[in-house]
């Protein structure tokens, strides 16, 4: 018997750390890790101990006899990875932990952004044996977990389980939390730095990007950031409305976010109800007239940005035909012409095989269709007041009532901290922000909007190593400014801490249970604050 890794794997490598026989690959210190779509268990080396299943925060691992039917292909996919890549490459040696550091009291670090990167930074710092540390995790929202709450698709409930590990870090004696505090608005960067030895910005990349197309301002033309924020109940976006009556929607861009959007726009009411979709979005999507979603990409199928696990989930969704034109697939790679055998080429072949399989499938006359189109560069969003369709450089026009740009995210930046024009991300050297003293960054604010949740773990570890080495070298001055809580009290900022969040979390789960849903999200900021404040009564 062997264990098998399946679709919701988010590459956080918790399983690699606990496997006694080192049979899960590629590990974070192996060369192929960055290019891997997911991790895989070697079926001949696994000794069936079950440690990885217990360690996986997103329930992605099963013994082979318990793999759910929907994930059955992953038994072969895990084995195929090792047949394809052969002997695993040696991991790069880990850098030594560095000597102990003595300072005047604990090293005080503010971590700004309570998304995955913020929690991985806090976890890494809290675990250090080099010095005593006091970590304050801050978020502008009254709720933690960033895009896990407000980005990850509401039907990916297993993926959202990753927060159980973050909640554990929040309970660490070295960690405290301050939500509903926006740096750059409630407190300046300089003030925050004055209260700490160092500040780490893990503020993500939460803004949509414009393509500069004529017609982008029309009603029914939107960005993935807005639509995803709306259906996930982000308080800044929960009150948006979208025209959903037309039978067709077009998505520009074909990454995993585009496939999330397509799946949600085509989901039936039962699937929507079983998700933690925001209540208003549930009513709107259940009444939607959308029957076809066309996902368009500028480049050919061989450059498709989605990963095969995401497409596989749609390929097997009941009631949806996935339409791919075989004529678009001529340039896809085949095993025969693949010279390198690594995690990246394995992922490309998985995707190619799946696309060929979809193109060969007969149509089933299902009520709903996902159409994957390639080689289409949008030139104009058509319509007068509201969207009527999209025109492409080929001259083709596709009629639609909703057009979503899923072409990437940008960072909002923070006043007083230099960032890159256009992307808003912080330019850095091994996590140290260039041009700002005692300031660091990790996650999407550092790398741009790339990588799954677990990718932020190694990224955070690099940043923490740099920060601790700088502290050891004497480059971080002792805090000489006013303490953060004093500043916030003087300004009347109402803080939500972890206890306040736990109260809101419990409220959402319990009220969800009463109506047969996993969670009934509170999406109004004032209401979130009111419920969180019950913790203080
Ligand atoms: C639509 C979508 C779906 C995704 N689905 C998956 C998936 O299924 N599986 C997967 O593994 N990965 C998924 N990802 C990727 C994953 O969400 C990211 O890798 C991860 O969230 C990045 O973490 P982060 O901490 O850098 O940023 P974020 O998660 O964005 O967290 C940043 C935090 O900073 C806070 N913040 C910003 N500015 C300030 C400020 N000035 N002051 C205080 N706080 C501030 C924000 O409120 C936010 O909470 C998805 C991403 C998107 C966009
Ligand atoms: S069951 Fe045990 S041996 Fe097998 S992959 Fe998981 S941790 Fe490794
Ligand atoms: S999510 Fe993490 S623990 Fe689970 S299978 Fe993937 S890498 Fe392993």
């Amino acid at each position: 018997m062997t264990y098998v890794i399946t679709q919701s794997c988010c590459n956080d490598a918790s399983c690699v750390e606990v496997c006694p026989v080192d049979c899960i690959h590629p590990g974070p210190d192996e060369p192929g890790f960055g290019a891997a779509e997911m991790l895989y268990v070697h079926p001949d080396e696994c000794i069936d101990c079950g440690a990885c299943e217990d360690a996986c925060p997103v329930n992605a691992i099963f013994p082979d006899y318990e793999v759910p039917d929907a994930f059955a292909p992953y038994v072969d996919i895990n084995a195929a990875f090792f047949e394809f890549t052969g002997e695993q490459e040696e991991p790069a040696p880990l850098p030594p932990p560095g000597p102990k550091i003595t300072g005047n009291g604990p090293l005080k670090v503010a971590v700004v952004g309570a998304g995955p990167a913020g929690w991985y930074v806090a976890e890494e710092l809290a675990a250090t044996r080099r010095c005593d540390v006091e970590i304050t995790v801050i978020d502008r929202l009254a709720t933690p977990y960033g895009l896990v709450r407000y980005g990850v698709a509401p039907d990916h409930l297993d993926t959202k389980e990753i927060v159980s590990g973050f909640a554990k870090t929040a309970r660490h004696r070295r960690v405290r939390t301050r939500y509903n505090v926006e740096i750059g608005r409630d407190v300046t960067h300089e003030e925050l730095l004055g209260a700490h030895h160092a500040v780490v910005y893990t503020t993500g990349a939460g803004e949509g990007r414009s393509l500069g197309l004529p017609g982008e301002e029309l009603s029914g033309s939107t960005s993935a950031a807005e639509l995803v924020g709306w259906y996930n109940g982000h308080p800044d976006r929960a009150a948006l409305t979208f025209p959903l009556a037309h039978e067709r929607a077009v998505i520009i861009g074909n990454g995993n976010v585009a496939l999330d959007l397509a799946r949600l726009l085509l989901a039936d009411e039962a699937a929507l109800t079983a998700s933690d979709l925001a209540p208003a979005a549930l009513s709107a999507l259940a009444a939607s007239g959308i029957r076809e979603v066309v996902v368009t990409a500028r480049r050919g199928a061989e450059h498709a940005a989605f990963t095969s696990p995401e497409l596989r989930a749609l390929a097997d969704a009941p009631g949806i035909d996935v339409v791919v034109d075989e004529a678009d697939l001529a340039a896809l790679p085949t095993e025969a012409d693949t010279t390198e055998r690594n995690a990246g080429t394995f992922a490309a072949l998985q995707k190619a095989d799946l696309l060929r399989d979809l193109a060969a499938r007969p149509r089933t006359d299902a009520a709903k269709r996902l159409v994957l189109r390639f080689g289409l560069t949008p030139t104009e969003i058509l319509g007068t007041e509201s969207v009527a369709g999209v025109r492409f450089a080929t001259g083709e026009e596709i009629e639609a009532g909703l057009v979503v740009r899923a072409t990437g995210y940008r960072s909002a930046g923070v006043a007083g901290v230099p960032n890159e024009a256009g992307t808003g991300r912080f330019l850095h050297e091994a996590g140290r922000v260039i041009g700002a003293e005692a300031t660091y960054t990790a996650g999407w604010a550092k790398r741009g909007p790339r990588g799954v949740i677990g990718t932020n773990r190694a990224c955070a570890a690099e940043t923490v190593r740099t920060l601790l080495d700088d502290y050891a070298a004497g480059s971080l001055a002792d805090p000489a400014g006013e303490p953060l809580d004093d500043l916030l009290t003087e300004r009347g900022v109402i803080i939500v801490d972890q206890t306040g969040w736990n109260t809101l979390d419990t409220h959402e789960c319990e009220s969800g249970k009463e109506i047969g849903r996993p969670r009934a999200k509170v999406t109004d900021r004032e209401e979130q604050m009111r419920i969180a404040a019950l913790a203080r009564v």
Side-chain angles (χ1 to χ4, degrees):
M1 191 179 91
T2 179
Y3 277 64
V4 174
I5 298 182
T6 64
Q7 189 212 330
S8 54
C9 174
C10 68
N11 298 27
D12 83 329
S14 299
C15 52
V16 177
E17 286 165 18
V18 299
C19 179
V21 294
D22 191 23
C23 71
I24 304 175
H25 298 279
D29 305 313
E30 294 171 35
F33 183 71
E37 289 185 321
M38 51 178 281
L39 271 54
Y40 310 89
V41 174
H42 196 308
D44 302 331
E45 292 177 11
C46 172
I47 57 164
D48 186 18
C49 72
C52 55
E53 185 185 16
D54 294 340
C56 179
V58 298
N59 308 319
I61 310 184
F62 300 86
D64 55 3
Y65 60 87
E66 275 180 0
V67 171
D69 288 348
F71 295 153
Y74 287 95
V75 176
D76 288 341
I77 291 170
N78 276 242
F81 175 78
F82 296 95
E83 280 157 25
F84 180 77
T85 54
E87 189 76 10
Q88 294 308 296
E89 293 172 82
E90 278 296 304
L94 279 176
K100 286 223 182 270
I101 314 163
T102 41
N104 305 318
L107 166 67
K108 292 187 177 178
V109 182
V111 178
V112 184
W119 289 110
Y120 289 131
V121 166
E123 179 189 324
E124 192 76 17
L125 275 169
T128 189
R129 300 213 183 127
R130 296 182 66 184
C131 58
D132 193 13
V133 195
E134 203 177 279
I135 305 144
T136 306
V137 178
I138 298 165
D139 204 285
R140 63 179 284 271
L141 299 176
T143 53
Y145 309 139
L147 284 172
V148 180
R149 181 174 163 99
Y150 294 120
V152 170
D155 58 342
H156 279 174
L157 294 174
D158 278 334
T159 303
K160 288 173 188 260
E161 289 292 317
I162 192 90
V163 303
S164 59
F166 303 158
K168 213 190 260 177
T169 301
R171 293 195 294 274
H172 195 287
R173 66 188 160 74
R174 288 175 158 177
V175 178
R176 61 183 196 149
T177 51
R178 296 288 180 265
Y179 306 138
N180 196 43
V181 174
E182 181 167 337
I183 304 309
R185 181 194 63 184
D186 300 320
V187 173
T188 66
H189 167 66
E190 291 71 23
E191 288 168 333
L192 187 66
L193 196 52
H196 299 86
H197 290 89
V199 177
V200 186
Y201 284 102
T202 51
T203 40
E207 306 299 309
R209 292 175 76 132
S210 160
L211 288 172
L213 296 175
E216 253 182 43
E217 71 295 346
L218 293 171
S219 155
S221 155
T222 189
S223 67
E226 286 189 332
L227 192 61
V228 168
W230 167 71
Y231 67 53
N232 274 315
H234 191 295
D236 296 348
R237 292 171 175 145
L240 295 174
T241 54
F242 299 93
L244 303 172
H246 194 287
E247 67 172 358
R248 186 180 299 114
V250 169
I251 300 176
I252 299 171
N254 72 354
N256 281 348
V257 173
L259 295 194
D260 275 353
L261 287 165
R263 204 178 57 254
L264 265 294
L265 290 172
L266 293 171
D268 61 25
E269 191 168 352
L272 296 171
T273 307
S275 76
D276 75 358
L277 199 70
L282 172 59
S283 318
L285 287 173
S288 147
I290 295 173
R291 295 287 171 270
E292 179 174 292
V293 176
V294 184
V295 172
T296 65
R298 203 165 41 84
R299 302 206 287 167
E302 65 283 11
H303 299 292
F306 52 74
T307 59
S308 55
E310 279 295 318
L311 181 59
R312 202 176 295 284
L314 260 161
D316 299 327
I320 301 177
D321 263 348
V322 181
V323 180
V324 179
D325 186 346
E326 202 175 345
D328 284 334
L329 307 186
L332 285 180
T334 62
E335 188 159 350
D337 56 35
T338 301
T339 47
E340 288 183 31
R341 300 177 83 79
N342 54 39
T345 50
F346 181 73
L349 288 175
Q350 286 289 310
K351 216 183 310 187
D353 287 349
L354 184 56
L355 283 167
R356 285 192 202 98
D357 170 42
L358 285 167
R361 281 189 196 180
R363 306 263 163 88
T364 65
D365 291 329
K368 297 184 177 177
R369 294 173 10 131
L370 164 68
V371 184
L372 296 179
R373 297 287 309 273
F374 302 94
L376 287 180
T377 303
T379 53
E380 184 178 352
I381 300 185
L382 304 168
T384 43
E385 275 176 23
S386 44
V387 162
V390 190
R391 181 177 296 133
F392 296 91
T394 52
E396 181 174 346
E397 292 180 3
I398 301 180
E399 211 184 286
L402 179 72
V403 176
V404 191
R405 301 180 306 280
T407 46
Y409 281 68
R410 64 181 300 283
S411 300
V414 174
V417 186
N419 63 38
E420 185 179 56
T423 68
R425 81 188 170 101
F426 301 117
L427 295 177
H428 68 98
E429 280 164 341
R432 186 189 303 108
V433 174
I434 295 170
E437 270 183 34
T439 303
Y440 301 81
T441 184
W444 277 19
K446 168 182 171 186
R447 308 189 317 277
R450 272 179 297 281
V452 285
I453 294 167
T455 319
N456 300 298
R457 201 173 182 197
C459 173
E462 178 195 57
T463 297
V464 169
R465 247 191 324 269
T466 304
L467 190 159
L468 290 174
D469 287 347
D470 286 354
Y471 186 48
S475 2
L476 303 182
D478 285 343
E482 201 172 345
L484 175 64
D485 282 357
D486 292 357
L487 286 166
L488 295 171
T489 308
E490 280 164 21
R491 290 166 197 182
V493 178
I494 299 168
I495 297 166
V496 175
D497 62 8
Q498 199 67 16
T499 313
W501 156 247
N502 288 340
T503 305
L504 175 57
D505 186 32
T506 306
H507 170 91
E508 288 187 342
C509 294
E510 283 178 357
S511 37
K513 213 192 250 170
E514 282 167 20
I515 53 170
R517 301 200 59 210
R519 170 186 295 272
K521 271 189 175 176
V522 178
T523 62
D524 177 70
R525 183 79 168 249
E526 300 301 316
E527 181 68 355
Q528 289 179 341
M529 298 293 293
R530 190 189 65 74
I531 296 165
L534 296 175
R536 290 199 292 271
V537 182

